[in-house]
Short mmCIF file of all heavy atoms in Angstrom, two decimals:
data_model
loop_
_atom_site.label_atom_id
_atom_site.label_comp_id
_atom_site.label_asym_id
_atom_site.label_seq_id
_atom_site.Cartn_x
_atom_site.Cartn_y
_atom_site.Cartn_z
N ILE A 1 25.18 -18.59 19.57
CA ILE A 1 25.50 -19.78 20.33
C ILE A 1 25.47 -19.46 21.82
O ILE A 1 24.88 -20.19 22.61
CB ILE A 1 26.87 -20.37 19.91
CG1 ILE A 1 26.80 -20.86 18.46
CG2 ILE A 1 27.28 -21.49 20.85
CD1 ILE A 1 28.13 -21.32 17.89
N ALA A 2 26.10 -18.35 22.18
CA ALA A 2 26.15 -17.97 23.59
C ALA A 2 24.76 -17.74 24.15
O ALA A 2 24.46 -18.16 25.27
CB ALA A 2 27.02 -16.73 23.75
N SER A 3 23.92 -17.10 23.40
CA SER A 3 22.55 -16.83 23.86
C SER A 3 21.77 -18.13 24.05
O SER A 3 21.04 -18.28 25.03
CB SER A 3 21.84 -15.92 22.86
OG SER A 3 20.56 -15.60 23.33
N ALA A 4 21.91 -19.06 23.12
CA ALA A 4 21.23 -20.35 23.25
C ALA A 4 21.73 -21.08 24.49
O ALA A 4 20.94 -21.65 25.24
CB ALA A 4 21.46 -21.20 22.01
N GLN A 5 23.02 -21.06 24.71
CA GLN A 5 23.58 -21.72 25.89
C GLN A 5 23.12 -21.03 27.17
O GLN A 5 22.75 -21.69 28.14
CB GLN A 5 25.11 -21.74 25.81
CG GLN A 5 25.63 -22.66 24.74
CD GLN A 5 27.13 -22.53 24.52
OE1 GLN A 5 27.74 -21.51 24.83
NE2 GLN A 5 27.72 -23.57 23.95
N GLU A 6 23.13 -19.71 27.16
CA GLU A 6 22.71 -18.94 28.34
C GLU A 6 21.26 -19.26 28.72
O GLU A 6 20.93 -19.35 29.89
CB GLU A 6 22.85 -17.44 28.04
CG GLU A 6 22.38 -16.53 29.14
CD GLU A 6 22.45 -15.07 28.75
OE1 GLU A 6 23.28 -14.72 27.90
OE2 GLU A 6 21.65 -14.28 29.29
N HIS A 7 20.42 -19.45 27.71
CA HIS A 7 19.01 -19.72 27.96
C HIS A 7 18.69 -21.22 27.93
O HIS A 7 17.53 -21.62 27.95
CB HIS A 7 18.15 -18.97 26.94
CG HIS A 7 18.20 -17.49 27.12
ND1 HIS A 7 19.33 -16.74 26.94
CD2 HIS A 7 17.25 -16.61 27.50
CE1 HIS A 7 19.08 -15.47 27.17
NE2 HIS A 7 17.81 -15.36 27.51
N GLN A 8 19.73 -22.04 27.86
CA GLN A 8 19.60 -23.50 27.84
C GLN A 8 18.64 -23.97 26.74
O GLN A 8 17.78 -24.83 26.95
CB GLN A 8 19.17 -24.01 29.20
CG GLN A 8 20.17 -23.68 30.27
CD GLN A 8 19.75 -24.14 31.65
OE1 GLN A 8 18.65 -24.62 31.86
NE2 GLN A 8 20.65 -23.99 32.60
N LEU A 9 18.83 -23.40 25.56
CA LEU A 9 18.02 -23.76 24.40
C LEU A 9 18.83 -24.64 23.46
O LEU A 9 20.02 -24.40 23.24
CB LEU A 9 17.57 -22.50 23.64
CG LEU A 9 16.67 -21.55 24.42
CD1 LEU A 9 16.49 -20.25 23.66
CD2 LEU A 9 15.34 -22.21 24.70
N PRO A 10 18.20 -25.66 22.90
CA PRO A 10 18.93 -26.50 21.94
C PRO A 10 19.23 -25.70 20.67
O PRO A 10 18.45 -24.84 20.27
CB PRO A 10 17.96 -27.64 21.65
CG PRO A 10 16.62 -27.12 22.01
CD PRO A 10 16.81 -26.09 23.09
N LEU A 11 20.37 -25.96 20.10
CA LEU A 11 20.77 -25.26 18.89
C LEU A 11 21.40 -26.25 17.93
O LEU A 11 22.23 -27.06 18.32
CB LEU A 11 21.78 -24.15 19.22
CG LEU A 11 22.38 -23.40 18.04
CD1 LEU A 11 21.31 -22.60 17.29
CD2 LEU A 11 23.50 -22.48 18.50
N GLN A 12 20.97 -26.18 16.69
CA GLN A 12 21.54 -27.03 15.66
C GLN A 12 21.73 -26.18 14.41
O GLN A 12 20.85 -25.41 14.03
CB GLN A 12 20.61 -28.20 15.37
CG GLN A 12 21.21 -29.23 14.47
CD GLN A 12 20.32 -30.45 14.39
OE1 GLN A 12 19.22 -30.37 13.84
NE2 GLN A 12 20.78 -31.55 14.94
N ILE A 13 22.87 -26.29 13.79
CA ILE A 13 23.18 -25.57 12.56
C ILE A 13 23.08 -26.56 11.41
O ILE A 13 23.67 -27.63 11.44
CB ILE A 13 24.60 -24.96 12.62
CG1 ILE A 13 24.68 -23.95 13.77
CG2 ILE A 13 24.97 -24.33 11.28
CD1 ILE A 13 26.08 -23.47 14.06
N ILE A 14 22.31 -26.19 10.40
CA ILE A 14 22.16 -27.03 9.22
C ILE A 14 22.94 -26.36 8.08
O ILE A 14 22.63 -25.25 7.67
CB ILE A 14 20.68 -27.18 8.81
CG1 ILE A 14 19.82 -27.64 9.99
CG2 ILE A 14 20.55 -28.10 7.61
CD1 ILE A 14 20.19 -28.98 10.55
N SER A 15 23.94 -27.05 7.59
CA SER A 15 24.76 -26.56 6.49
C SER A 15 24.49 -27.43 5.26
O SER A 15 24.79 -28.62 5.26
CB SER A 15 26.24 -26.61 6.87
OG SER A 15 27.04 -26.14 5.81
N CYS A 16 23.92 -26.82 4.24
CA CYS A 16 23.55 -27.56 3.03
C CYS A 16 24.66 -27.48 1.99
O CYS A 16 25.21 -26.40 1.75
CB CYS A 16 22.26 -26.99 2.46
SG CYS A 16 20.87 -27.13 3.59
N THR A 17 24.97 -28.62 1.39
CA THR A 17 26.01 -28.66 0.38
C THR A 17 25.52 -29.39 -0.87
O THR A 17 24.57 -30.18 -0.82
CB THR A 17 27.26 -29.41 0.89
OG1 THR A 17 26.93 -30.77 1.13
CG2 THR A 17 27.81 -28.78 2.15
N ALA A 18 26.17 -29.09 -1.96
CA ALA A 18 25.96 -29.78 -3.24
C ALA A 18 27.17 -29.46 -4.11
O ALA A 18 27.81 -28.42 -3.93
CB ALA A 18 24.67 -29.32 -3.91
N PRO A 19 27.49 -30.34 -5.04
CA PRO A 19 28.60 -30.05 -5.95
C PRO A 19 28.32 -28.78 -6.76
O PRO A 19 27.17 -28.44 -7.03
CB PRO A 19 28.64 -31.27 -6.87
CG PRO A 19 27.96 -32.36 -6.11
CD PRO A 19 26.91 -31.66 -5.29
N LEU A 20 29.39 -28.09 -7.12
CA LEU A 20 29.28 -26.84 -7.87
C LEU A 20 28.43 -27.01 -9.12
O LEU A 20 27.57 -26.17 -9.43
CB LEU A 20 30.67 -26.32 -8.23
CG LEU A 20 30.73 -25.02 -9.02
CD1 LEU A 20 30.06 -23.88 -8.26
CD2 LEU A 20 32.16 -24.67 -9.35
N GLU A 21 28.61 -28.12 -9.84
CA GLU A 21 27.86 -28.34 -11.08
C GLU A 21 26.36 -28.42 -10.80
O GLU A 21 25.55 -27.93 -11.59
CB GLU A 21 28.30 -29.63 -11.78
CG GLU A 21 29.79 -29.79 -12.03
CD GLU A 21 30.54 -30.24 -10.78
OE1 GLU A 21 30.11 -31.16 -10.07
OE2 GLU A 21 31.60 -29.64 -10.52
N VAL A 22 25.99 -29.04 -9.70
CA VAL A 22 24.58 -29.17 -9.33
C VAL A 22 24.01 -27.79 -8.99
O VAL A 22 22.92 -27.43 -9.42
CB VAL A 22 24.40 -30.14 -8.14
CG1 VAL A 22 22.98 -30.12 -7.61
CG2 VAL A 22 24.80 -31.54 -8.56
N LEU A 23 24.76 -27.01 -8.23
CA LEU A 23 24.30 -25.66 -7.88
C LEU A 23 24.13 -24.80 -9.13
O LEU A 23 23.13 -24.07 -9.27
CB LEU A 23 25.29 -25.00 -6.93
CG LEU A 23 25.46 -25.67 -5.56
CD1 LEU A 23 26.58 -25.00 -4.78
CD2 LEU A 23 24.16 -25.67 -4.79
N GLN A 24 25.09 -24.89 -10.05
CA GLN A 24 24.99 -24.13 -11.30
C GLN A 24 23.75 -24.53 -12.09
O GLN A 24 23.01 -23.67 -12.59
CB GLN A 24 26.25 -24.32 -12.14
CG GLN A 24 27.45 -23.63 -11.57
CD GLN A 24 28.74 -23.99 -12.30
OE1 GLN A 24 28.91 -25.09 -12.81
NE2 GLN A 24 29.66 -23.05 -12.33
N GLN A 25 23.50 -25.82 -12.19
CA GLN A 25 22.33 -26.30 -12.94
C GLN A 25 21.04 -25.85 -12.28
O GLN A 25 20.10 -25.44 -12.96
CB GLN A 25 22.36 -27.83 -13.05
CG GLN A 25 21.28 -28.37 -13.97
CD GLN A 25 21.43 -27.86 -15.40
OE1 GLN A 25 22.48 -27.97 -16.00
NE2 GLN A 25 20.37 -27.27 -15.93
N ARG A 26 20.98 -25.92 -10.97
CA ARG A 26 19.77 -25.47 -10.26
C ARG A 26 19.50 -24.00 -10.52
O ARG A 26 18.35 -23.60 -10.72
CB ARG A 26 19.92 -25.72 -8.76
CG ARG A 26 19.82 -27.18 -8.40
CD ARG A 26 20.06 -27.39 -6.92
NE ARG A 26 19.96 -28.79 -6.56
CZ ARG A 26 20.33 -29.29 -5.41
NH1 ARG A 26 20.81 -28.50 -4.46
NH2 ARG A 26 20.21 -30.59 -5.17
N LEU A 27 20.55 -23.20 -10.52
CA LEU A 27 20.36 -21.77 -10.79
C LEU A 27 19.95 -21.54 -12.23
O LEU A 27 19.10 -20.69 -12.51
CB LEU A 27 21.64 -21.01 -10.46
CG LEU A 27 21.94 -20.88 -8.96
CD1 LEU A 27 23.35 -20.37 -8.74
CD2 LEU A 27 20.93 -19.98 -8.28
N ASP A 28 20.55 -22.27 -13.15
CA ASP A 28 20.19 -22.13 -14.57
C ASP A 28 18.74 -22.53 -14.82
O ASP A 28 18.08 -21.98 -15.70
CB ASP A 28 21.11 -22.98 -15.45
CG ASP A 28 22.51 -22.40 -15.56
OD1 ASP A 28 22.70 -21.19 -15.28
OD2 ASP A 28 23.43 -23.16 -15.93
N ASP A 29 18.24 -23.49 -14.04
CA ASP A 29 16.88 -24.00 -14.22
C ASP A 29 15.81 -23.09 -13.62
O ASP A 29 14.62 -23.29 -13.89
CB ASP A 29 16.75 -25.40 -13.62
CG ASP A 29 17.52 -26.45 -14.39
OD1 ASP A 29 17.95 -26.16 -15.54
OD2 ASP A 29 17.72 -27.55 -13.85
N ARG A 30 16.20 -22.13 -12.81
CA ARG A 30 15.21 -21.27 -12.15
C ARG A 30 14.54 -20.36 -13.17
O ARG A 30 15.19 -19.77 -14.03
CB ARG A 30 15.89 -20.41 -11.09
CG ARG A 30 16.28 -21.20 -9.88
CD ARG A 30 17.20 -20.45 -8.98
NE ARG A 30 16.51 -19.41 -8.22
CZ ARG A 30 17.07 -18.74 -7.24
NH1 ARG A 30 18.32 -18.98 -6.92
NH2 ARG A 30 16.40 -17.83 -6.59
N THR A 31 13.24 -20.23 -13.04
CA THR A 31 12.49 -19.31 -13.90
C THR A 31 11.45 -18.59 -13.05
O THR A 31 10.96 -19.13 -12.05
CB THR A 31 11.77 -20.05 -15.04
OG1 THR A 31 10.88 -21.01 -14.47
CG2 THR A 31 12.75 -20.74 -15.97
N GLY A 32 11.13 -17.36 -13.43
CA GLY A 32 10.10 -16.61 -12.73
C GLY A 32 10.45 -16.31 -11.29
O GLY A 32 9.57 -16.16 -10.45
N ASP A 33 11.74 -16.21 -10.99
CA ASP A 33 12.19 -16.01 -9.63
C ASP A 33 12.69 -14.57 -9.48
O ASP A 33 13.41 -14.07 -10.33
CB ASP A 33 13.33 -17.00 -9.35
CG ASP A 33 13.64 -17.13 -7.88
OD1 ASP A 33 13.72 -16.10 -7.19
OD2 ASP A 33 13.81 -18.27 -7.42
N ILE A 34 12.33 -13.92 -8.38
CA ILE A 34 12.76 -12.54 -8.20
C ILE A 34 14.16 -12.45 -7.60
O ILE A 34 14.76 -11.38 -7.57
CB ILE A 34 11.78 -11.74 -7.31
CG1 ILE A 34 11.68 -12.35 -5.92
CG2 ILE A 34 10.42 -11.64 -7.96
CD1 ILE A 34 10.94 -11.48 -4.93
N ALA A 35 14.71 -13.57 -7.14
CA ALA A 35 16.05 -13.56 -6.57
C ALA A 35 17.08 -13.23 -7.64
O ALA A 35 16.92 -13.57 -8.81
CB ALA A 35 16.37 -14.91 -5.94
N ASP A 36 18.15 -12.55 -7.23
CA ASP A 36 19.17 -12.17 -8.19
C ASP A 36 20.32 -13.17 -8.27
O ASP A 36 21.30 -12.94 -8.95
CB ASP A 36 19.71 -10.78 -7.87
CG ASP A 36 20.34 -10.68 -6.49
OD1 ASP A 36 20.29 -11.66 -5.74
OD2 ASP A 36 20.86 -9.59 -6.16
N ALA A 37 20.20 -14.29 -7.60
CA ALA A 37 21.26 -15.30 -7.66
C ALA A 37 21.25 -15.96 -9.04
O ALA A 37 20.22 -16.40 -9.53
CB ALA A 37 21.04 -16.36 -6.58
N THR A 38 22.41 -16.01 -9.64
CA THR A 38 22.56 -16.66 -10.94
C THR A 38 23.83 -17.50 -10.92
O THR A 38 24.69 -17.33 -10.06
CB THR A 38 22.69 -15.63 -12.08
OG1 THR A 38 23.90 -14.88 -11.90
CG2 THR A 38 21.50 -14.69 -12.12
N ALA A 39 23.94 -18.39 -11.88
CA ALA A 39 25.15 -19.20 -12.00
C ALA A 39 26.37 -18.32 -12.23
O ALA A 39 27.48 -18.68 -11.83
CB ALA A 39 24.99 -20.22 -13.11
N ALA A 40 26.16 -17.15 -12.82
CA ALA A 40 27.27 -16.25 -13.10
C ALA A 40 27.93 -15.72 -11.83
O ALA A 40 29.13 -15.47 -11.81
CB ALA A 40 26.80 -15.08 -13.96
N ASN A 41 27.17 -15.55 -10.76
CA ASN A 41 27.78 -15.03 -9.53
C ASN A 41 27.96 -16.10 -8.45
O ASN A 41 28.37 -15.81 -7.34
CB ASN A 41 27.01 -13.84 -8.98
CG ASN A 41 25.58 -14.15 -8.62
OD1 ASN A 41 25.18 -15.29 -8.52
ND2 ASN A 41 24.79 -13.10 -8.42
N LEU A 42 27.71 -17.35 -8.78
CA LEU A 42 27.82 -18.43 -7.82
C LEU A 42 29.25 -18.60 -7.30
O LEU A 42 29.46 -18.72 -6.09
CB LEU A 42 27.34 -19.75 -8.44
CG LEU A 42 27.47 -20.99 -7.57
CD1 LEU A 42 26.66 -20.84 -6.28
CD2 LEU A 42 27.02 -22.22 -8.34
N GLU A 43 30.23 -18.59 -8.18
CA GLU A 43 31.60 -18.81 -7.74
C GLU A 43 32.06 -17.74 -6.75
O GLU A 43 32.72 -18.05 -5.76
CB GLU A 43 32.54 -18.91 -8.93
CG GLU A 43 32.37 -20.23 -9.66
CD GLU A 43 33.42 -20.47 -10.72
OE1 GLU A 43 34.59 -20.15 -10.47
OE2 GLU A 43 33.06 -21.00 -11.77
N SER A 44 31.70 -16.48 -6.99
CA SER A 44 32.10 -15.43 -6.05
C SER A 44 31.39 -15.60 -4.71
O SER A 44 31.97 -15.33 -3.66
CB SER A 44 31.84 -14.04 -6.64
OG SER A 44 30.45 -13.80 -6.76
N GLN A 45 30.15 -16.08 -4.74
CA GLN A 45 29.44 -16.34 -3.49
C GLN A 45 30.13 -17.45 -2.70
O GLN A 45 30.28 -17.36 -1.48
CB GLN A 45 27.99 -16.71 -3.75
CG GLN A 45 27.16 -15.55 -4.24
CD GLN A 45 25.75 -15.97 -4.60
OE1 GLN A 45 25.49 -17.13 -4.92
NE2 GLN A 45 24.82 -15.02 -4.56
N ILE A 46 30.56 -18.47 -3.40
CA ILE A 46 31.25 -19.59 -2.74
C ILE A 46 32.59 -19.11 -2.16
O ILE A 46 32.95 -19.46 -1.03
CB ILE A 46 31.44 -20.77 -3.71
CG1 ILE A 46 30.08 -21.40 -4.00
CG2 ILE A 46 32.43 -21.80 -3.15
CD1 ILE A 46 30.08 -22.45 -5.08
N GLU A 47 33.30 -18.29 -2.91
CA GLU A 47 34.58 -17.77 -2.44
C GLU A 47 34.41 -16.90 -1.19
O GLU A 47 35.29 -16.88 -0.32
CB GLU A 47 35.27 -16.95 -3.54
CG GLU A 47 35.80 -17.79 -4.68
CD GLU A 47 36.29 -16.95 -5.85
OE1 GLU A 47 36.31 -15.71 -5.74
OE2 GLU A 47 36.64 -17.55 -6.88
N GLN A 48 33.30 -16.18 -1.11
CA GLN A 48 33.06 -15.28 0.01
C GLN A 48 32.40 -15.96 1.20
O GLN A 48 32.32 -15.38 2.29
CB GLN A 48 32.20 -14.10 -0.44
CG GLN A 48 32.89 -13.21 -1.45
CD GLN A 48 31.97 -12.13 -1.98
OE1 GLN A 48 31.00 -11.76 -1.35
NE2 GLN A 48 32.29 -11.62 -3.15
N ALA A 49 31.96 -17.18 1.03
CA ALA A 49 31.30 -17.90 2.12
C ALA A 49 32.28 -18.14 3.26
O ALA A 49 33.45 -18.46 3.05
CB ALA A 49 30.75 -19.23 1.61
N GLU A 50 31.79 -17.96 4.47
CA GLU A 50 32.62 -18.17 5.64
C GLU A 50 32.47 -19.61 6.13
O GLU A 50 31.36 -20.11 6.24
CB GLU A 50 32.21 -17.22 6.76
CG GLU A 50 32.41 -15.76 6.41
CD GLU A 50 31.96 -14.84 7.53
OE1 GLU A 50 31.86 -15.29 8.70
OE2 GLU A 50 31.70 -13.67 7.24
N PRO A 51 33.59 -20.25 6.42
CA PRO A 51 33.50 -21.62 6.95
C PRO A 51 32.92 -21.60 8.36
O PRO A 51 32.93 -20.56 9.03
CB PRO A 51 34.95 -22.10 6.95
CG PRO A 51 35.76 -20.85 7.02
CD PRO A 51 34.97 -19.78 6.32
N LEU A 52 32.43 -22.73 8.81
CA LEU A 52 31.94 -22.82 10.17
C LEU A 52 33.09 -22.58 11.14
O LEU A 52 34.21 -23.03 10.92
CB LEU A 52 31.34 -24.19 10.43
CG LEU A 52 30.07 -24.53 9.64
CD1 LEU A 52 29.72 -26.00 9.81
CD2 LEU A 52 28.92 -23.65 10.07
N SER A 53 32.80 -21.87 12.23
CA SER A 53 33.82 -21.62 13.24
C SER A 53 34.02 -22.87 14.08
O SER A 53 33.22 -23.81 14.03
CB SER A 53 33.40 -20.45 14.13
OG SER A 53 32.33 -20.85 14.97
N GLU A 54 35.05 -22.86 14.89
CA GLU A 54 35.31 -24.00 15.77
C GLU A 54 34.17 -24.18 16.77
O GLU A 54 33.88 -25.31 17.17
CB GLU A 54 36.64 -23.83 16.50
CG GLU A 54 37.86 -23.92 15.58
CD GLU A 54 37.89 -25.21 14.77
OE1 GLU A 54 37.70 -26.30 15.36
OE2 GLU A 54 38.11 -25.15 13.55
N LYS A 55 33.51 -23.11 17.16
CA LYS A 55 32.36 -23.21 18.07
C LYS A 55 31.14 -23.76 17.34
O LYS A 55 30.30 -24.42 17.95
CB LYS A 55 32.03 -21.85 18.66
CG LYS A 55 33.01 -21.37 19.69
CD LYS A 55 32.57 -20.06 20.28
CE LYS A 55 33.54 -19.58 21.34
NZ LYS A 55 33.14 -18.30 21.94
N GLU A 56 31.02 -23.46 16.06
CA GLU A 56 29.86 -23.89 15.28
C GLU A 56 29.96 -25.36 14.84
O GLU A 56 28.94 -26.04 14.75
CB GLU A 56 29.68 -23.00 14.05
CG GLU A 56 29.31 -21.58 14.37
CD GLU A 56 29.41 -20.65 13.18
OE1 GLU A 56 30.24 -20.90 12.28
OE2 GLU A 56 28.66 -19.68 13.15
N LYS A 57 31.15 -25.82 14.54
CA LYS A 57 31.33 -27.16 13.99
C LYS A 57 30.66 -28.27 14.80
O LYS A 57 30.00 -29.13 14.21
CB LYS A 57 32.82 -27.46 13.80
CG LYS A 57 33.42 -26.74 12.61
CD LYS A 57 34.90 -27.05 12.47
CE LYS A 57 35.50 -26.27 11.33
NZ LYS A 57 36.95 -26.52 11.20
N PRO A 58 30.79 -28.29 16.13
CA PRO A 58 30.14 -29.38 16.87
C PRO A 58 28.61 -29.33 16.81
O PRO A 58 27.95 -30.33 17.06
CB PRO A 58 30.62 -29.17 18.32
CG PRO A 58 31.75 -28.23 18.24
CD PRO A 58 31.61 -27.46 16.98
N LEU A 59 28.06 -28.18 16.46
CA LEU A 59 26.61 -28.01 16.41
C LEU A 59 26.05 -28.24 15.01
O LEU A 59 24.84 -28.20 14.80
CB LEU A 59 26.24 -26.60 16.87
CG LEU A 59 26.70 -26.21 18.27
CD1 LEU A 59 26.50 -24.73 18.51
CD2 LEU A 59 25.95 -27.03 19.31
N ALA A 60 26.93 -28.45 14.05
CA ALA A 60 26.52 -28.48 12.65
C ALA A 60 26.21 -29.88 12.14
O ALA A 60 26.87 -30.85 12.49
CB ALA A 60 27.61 -27.85 11.78
N LYS A 61 25.21 -29.92 11.30
CA LYS A 61 24.89 -31.11 10.51
C LYS A 61 25.09 -30.70 9.05
O LYS A 61 24.56 -29.68 8.61
CB LYS A 61 23.45 -31.54 10.70
CG LYS A 61 23.15 -31.90 12.12
CD LYS A 61 22.75 -33.32 12.22
CE LYS A 61 22.46 -33.60 13.68
NZ LYS A 61 21.94 -34.82 13.95
N ILE A 62 25.86 -31.46 8.33
CA ILE A 62 26.12 -31.17 6.92
C ILE A 62 25.17 -32.02 6.10
O ILE A 62 25.16 -33.25 6.21
CB ILE A 62 27.58 -31.49 6.55
CG1 ILE A 62 28.56 -30.84 7.55
CG2 ILE A 62 27.86 -31.07 5.11
CD1 ILE A 62 28.48 -29.34 7.63
N LEU A 63 24.36 -31.37 5.28
CA LEU A 63 23.40 -32.09 4.45
C LEU A 63 23.79 -32.00 2.99
O LEU A 63 24.05 -30.91 2.47
CB LEU A 63 21.99 -31.49 4.62
CG LEU A 63 21.37 -31.57 5.99
CD1 LEU A 63 19.94 -31.08 5.95
CD2 LEU A 63 21.42 -32.97 6.53
N ASP A 64 23.82 -33.14 2.34
CA ASP A 64 24.08 -33.22 0.90
C ASP A 64 22.72 -33.09 0.21
O ASP A 64 21.92 -34.01 0.23
CB ASP A 64 24.73 -34.54 0.56
CG ASP A 64 24.95 -34.73 -0.92
OD1 ASP A 64 24.52 -33.87 -1.72
OD2 ASP A 64 25.55 -35.75 -1.30
N THR A 65 22.46 -31.94 -0.37
CA THR A 65 21.14 -31.67 -0.96
C THR A 65 20.92 -32.38 -2.29
O THR A 65 19.88 -32.20 -2.91
CB THR A 65 20.88 -30.17 -1.11
OG1 THR A 65 21.84 -29.61 -2.02
CG2 THR A 65 20.95 -29.47 0.23
N THR A 66 21.88 -33.21 -2.71
CA THR A 66 21.62 -34.04 -3.88
C THR A 66 20.86 -35.29 -3.47
O THR A 66 20.37 -36.03 -4.32
CB THR A 66 22.92 -34.44 -4.61
OG1 THR A 66 23.74 -35.20 -3.72
CG2 THR A 66 23.67 -33.21 -5.10
N GLN A 67 20.75 -35.54 -2.15
CA GLN A 67 19.98 -36.67 -1.65
C GLN A 67 18.51 -36.28 -1.55
O GLN A 67 18.15 -35.11 -1.56
CB GLN A 67 20.48 -37.08 -0.27
CG GLN A 67 21.89 -37.59 -0.25
CD GLN A 67 22.32 -37.98 1.16
OE1 GLN A 67 21.50 -38.12 2.05
NE2 GLN A 67 23.61 -38.14 1.35
N SER A 68 17.67 -37.28 -1.39
CA SER A 68 16.24 -37.03 -1.25
C SER A 68 15.96 -36.27 0.05
O SER A 68 16.75 -36.33 0.99
CB SER A 68 15.46 -38.35 -1.23
OG SER A 68 15.73 -39.03 -0.02
N ILE A 69 14.85 -35.57 0.09
CA ILE A 69 14.47 -34.84 1.29
C ILE A 69 14.32 -35.79 2.47
O ILE A 69 14.67 -35.45 3.60
CB ILE A 69 13.21 -33.99 1.05
CG1 ILE A 69 12.94 -33.07 2.24
CG2 ILE A 69 12.00 -34.86 0.79
CD1 ILE A 69 13.88 -31.93 2.39
N GLU A 70 13.82 -36.99 2.21
CA GLU A 70 13.66 -37.97 3.28
C GLU A 70 15.01 -38.33 3.90
O GLU A 70 15.14 -38.41 5.12
CB GLU A 70 12.96 -39.24 2.76
CG GLU A 70 11.52 -39.03 2.36
CD GLU A 70 11.34 -38.45 0.95
OE1 GLU A 70 12.34 -38.38 0.19
OE2 GLU A 70 10.22 -38.07 0.63
N ALA A 71 16.01 -38.56 3.07
CA ALA A 71 17.34 -38.90 3.57
C ALA A 71 17.93 -37.73 4.36
O ALA A 71 18.57 -37.94 5.40
CB ALA A 71 18.26 -39.27 2.41
N GLN A 72 17.70 -36.53 3.89
CA GLN A 72 18.22 -35.36 4.59
C GLN A 72 17.56 -35.20 5.95
O GLN A 72 18.24 -34.93 6.95
CB GLN A 72 17.98 -34.10 3.75
CG GLN A 72 18.76 -34.11 2.45
CD GLN A 72 18.38 -32.94 1.59
OE1 GLN A 72 18.44 -31.81 2.05
NE2 GLN A 72 17.98 -33.18 0.37
N LEU A 73 16.26 -35.38 6.01
CA LEU A 73 15.55 -35.24 7.28
C LEU A 73 15.98 -36.31 8.28
O LEU A 73 16.14 -36.04 9.47
CB LEU A 73 14.03 -35.30 7.06
CG LEU A 73 13.44 -34.08 6.39
CD1 LEU A 73 11.96 -34.31 6.09
CD2 LEU A 73 13.63 -32.83 7.22
N LYS A 74 16.21 -37.52 7.80
CA LYS A 74 16.69 -38.58 8.69
C LYS A 74 18.02 -38.20 9.29
O LYS A 74 18.28 -38.44 10.47
CB LYS A 74 16.81 -39.90 7.92
CG LYS A 74 15.49 -40.57 7.67
CD LYS A 74 15.67 -41.88 6.93
CE LYS A 74 14.33 -42.47 6.57
NZ LYS A 74 14.47 -43.70 5.78
N ASN A 75 18.89 -37.60 8.48
CA ASN A 75 20.20 -37.18 8.97
C ASN A 75 20.07 -36.11 10.05
O ASN A 75 20.78 -36.14 11.05
CB ASN A 75 21.05 -36.66 7.80
CG ASN A 75 22.46 -36.32 8.24
OD1 ASN A 75 22.98 -36.83 9.21
ND2 ASN A 75 23.08 -35.44 7.49
N VAL A 76 19.16 -35.20 9.89
CA VAL A 76 18.96 -34.12 10.86
C VAL A 76 18.35 -34.66 12.15
O VAL A 76 18.76 -34.31 13.25
CB VAL A 76 18.07 -33.01 10.28
CG1 VAL A 76 17.69 -32.01 11.35
CG2 VAL A 76 18.78 -32.31 9.13
N ILE A 77 17.39 -35.54 12.02
CA ILE A 77 16.64 -36.01 13.18
C ILE A 77 17.37 -37.07 13.99
O ILE A 77 17.26 -37.11 15.20
CB ILE A 77 15.26 -36.54 12.71
CG1 ILE A 77 14.44 -35.38 12.16
CG2 ILE A 77 14.53 -37.23 13.84
CD1 ILE A 77 13.18 -35.80 11.44
N LYS A 78 18.20 -37.89 13.33
CA LYS A 78 18.78 -39.05 14.02
C LYS A 78 19.79 -38.70 15.11
O LYS A 78 20.04 -39.49 15.97
CB LYS A 78 19.40 -40.02 13.02
CG LYS A 78 20.71 -39.58 12.42
CD LYS A 78 21.26 -40.65 11.50
CE LYS A 78 22.56 -40.18 10.88
NZ LYS A 78 23.10 -41.12 9.94
N GLN A 79 20.38 -37.52 15.08
CA GLN A 79 21.41 -37.21 16.07
C GLN A 79 21.00 -36.09 16.97
O GLN A 79 20.41 -35.18 16.75
CB GLN A 79 22.73 -36.88 15.38
CG GLN A 79 23.25 -38.05 14.61
CD GLN A 79 24.53 -37.73 13.87
OE1 GLN A 79 25.02 -36.63 13.90
NE2 GLN A 79 25.08 -38.72 13.21
#
């Protein structure tokens, strides 16, 4: 954030969300993927996730990834 401000560069943080059940289903549906993320380790990943800091919050857009990509892009672009 400091570097972007120092160089007068625009900065936007995109935070993607979905209900736990949706995330679990998406992971269960993955096939042929080399990533090691599975529904079995999802809860620990969520527990270890760091919330946005007070400096980050004003720069953040929260996207509900259960919505269509079009709706998500409108949310990012409109503000």
